[in-house]
Amino acid sequence: MKVAGQASVSTGLLAAALLCAGCGPSNTASAADEPGELQKLRLEVAHLREENAQLRLSPGLLGREVDEALRAGDAQRVHASLRTLSQNFPVSPETETMTQRVAAFDKARDAQAEAERRLAAQGLKALPVAGTLNAGDTTLALSSAALLHRWVFDSWGEGWRFEDAEKQHRLLVARVTVSSRQREPALFGLAAYVADGARLRRVGELRYRFSRWSDYGAFLGTHADFRNDFAHSWRVPLTAAVSLPEQDLQRKPLFLVATAEGCHQRGYERFGQPPVFYTPKPCASLKEVLEPGDFLSGKLVLLRRLD
């Protein structure tokens, strides 16, 4: 701060000198010397102003500039800001921290670019099969997925409910476990797709049912089953299915896709069997046609490929 104060004083004196230049006695400087002296004074003022601007910089301020660029995803500004920080304060904690963050940023960008190159070269074959989807504080884990003629759900003791496929149809049945810290999470959207050239074409969206109940009374709603209530349980087993025409299933493979978009809301009907259920609503991200590049954002995940 002392240096900055001195620089400011110097700037003021030089500015005053500029104002007074040429107003003194004629014998102090010749008319021919005045332009050169003025130019010299202007250059010194500009230099001191630049020094003042540099003195006002701090590691914290430059670190915030790097952070803002990282949040904006502006790679050019990220590296320019980090370069300014490291040149002015090479051993500061901010420089060390931001250097690590920029390295992670570059690594993620390189991985994204590699994924894009792989998708461009291999198309649908390059889509990774994840098996799980994490979004916020909710996770869906796929246990199994198969094409069946019967979908069994709402099991209790020695009883259960089921749905059979219509003729010339089969059911894509998925068994999943949803974990969440929320009391009433919206369940992720699920859809079945088939290959259509280099793209995916949607053939159906899955709906959820509870896998099982503690007993028949819980299924009827005469008493609560906290294992099927996210307000009490961290994990709830569920099953989901969709009926698909055999003609669509002839186009192999079949892709089970999940979206982080919450498309199924919990509902309650007092005399329902069971009284608790999930109602689907449209999932904007599960478009009728998907491109391989749609999976790069991380919002969509391929849970299973059925050949």
Side-chain angles (χ1 to χ4, degrees):
M1 294 305 294
K2 182 178 180 181
V3 175
Q6 292 175 346
S8 298
V9 171
S10 299
T11 302
L13 291 173
L14 284 170
L18 280 172
L19 292 174
C20 294
C23 62
S26 59
N27 59 358
T28 59
S30 67
D33 292 335
E34 288 182 0
E37 290 296 323
L38 285 172
Q39 181 65 22
K40 182 179 178 181
L41 288 171
R42 290 193 181 100
L43 290 175
E44 290 186 10
V45 168
H47 177 69
L48 288 170
R49 284 175 176 169
E50 183 179 351
E51 283 188 351
N52 275 338
Q54 292 294 327
L55 289 169
R56 284 195 295 269
L57 295 178
S58 68
L61 176 62
L62 294 174
R64 285 196 295 273
E65 289 182 2
V66 179
D67 180 66
E68 290 173 1
L70 286 169
R71 293 178 183 276
D74 188 335
Q76 184 175 357
R77 189 155 62 95
V78 163
H79 288 280
S81 300
L82 179 62
R83 187 163 51 250
T84 302
L85 172 62
S86 59
Q87 288 175 350
N88 286 276
F89 306 100
V91 295
S92 70
E94 288 83 0
T95 299
E96 181 180 357
T97 299
M98 289 304 164
T99 299
Q100 294 174 357
R101 289 186 58 188
V102 170
F105 172 79
D106 288 339
K107 184 177 180 180
R109 288 182 71 248
D110 291 343
Q112 179 87 354
E114 176 59 29
E116 290 174 357
R117 287 193 293 268
R118 188 170 61 250
L119 283 176
Q122 302 180 23
L124 299 177
K125 293 181 180 179
L127 291 177
V129 179
T132 60
L133 174 58
N134 299 290
D137 51 10
T138 301
T139 300
L140 179 145
L142 178 70
S143 302
S144 65
L147 290 167
L148 305 172
H149 290 286
R150 172 170 289 184
W151 178 25
V152 177
F153 49 90
D154 286 331
S155 300
W156 68 85
E158 297 181 355
W160 60 84
R161 296 182 71 185
F162 65 87
E163 179 180 320
D164 284 341
E166 298 177 354
K167 59 184 180 181
Q168 298 183 341
H169 284 70
R170 276 192 288 171
L171 292 159
L172 172 59
V173 179
R175 299 198 175 277
V176 303
T177 300
V178 177
S179 307
S180 183
R181 292 182 178 276
Q182 298 184 38
R183 294 177 60 86
E184 285 193 15
L187 301 184
F188 300 145
L190 301 172
Y193 287 82
V194 293
D196 185 6
R199 306 183 301 176
L200 294 177
R201 180 173 60 83
R202 191 185 65 214
V203 291
E205 295 187 54
L206 286 72
R207 64 190 192 278
Y208 288 93
R209 294 288 185 271
F210 288 98
S211 291
R212 58 184 176 271
W213 298 87
S214 57
D215 52 42
Y216 187 57
F219 167 74
L220 293 177
T222 56
H223 56 267
D225 187 346
F226 290 147
R227 293 182 302 179
N228 284 341
D229 188 346
F230 284 103
H232 296 271
S233 179
W234 293 102
R235 298 177 181 85
V236 174
L238 297 153
T239 178
V242 62
S243 177
L244 301 174
E246 288 285 359
Q247 62 183 15
D248 286 333
L249 297 176
Q250 292 175 4
R251 306 184 67 173
K252 299 293 182 68
L254 183 67
F255 298 82
L256 176 57
V257 177
T259 174
E261 185 180 352
C263 307
H264 298 258
Q265 299 290 339
R266 185 180 177 94
Y268 177 82
E269 184 179 339
R270 181 179 179 185
F271 297 107
Q273 295 184 5
V276 181
F277 54 89
Y278 281 90
T279 303
K281 63 179 183 179
C283 276
S285 52
L286 293 176
K287 300 181 293 186
E288 184 176 350
V289 175
L290 292 176
E291 304 284 349
D294 292 328
F295 290 83
L296 292 174
S297 67
K299 189 172 186 178
L300 294 177
V301 165
L302 176 59
L303 290 178
R304 184 67 54 89
R305 182 186 287 111
L306 290 87
D307 296 311

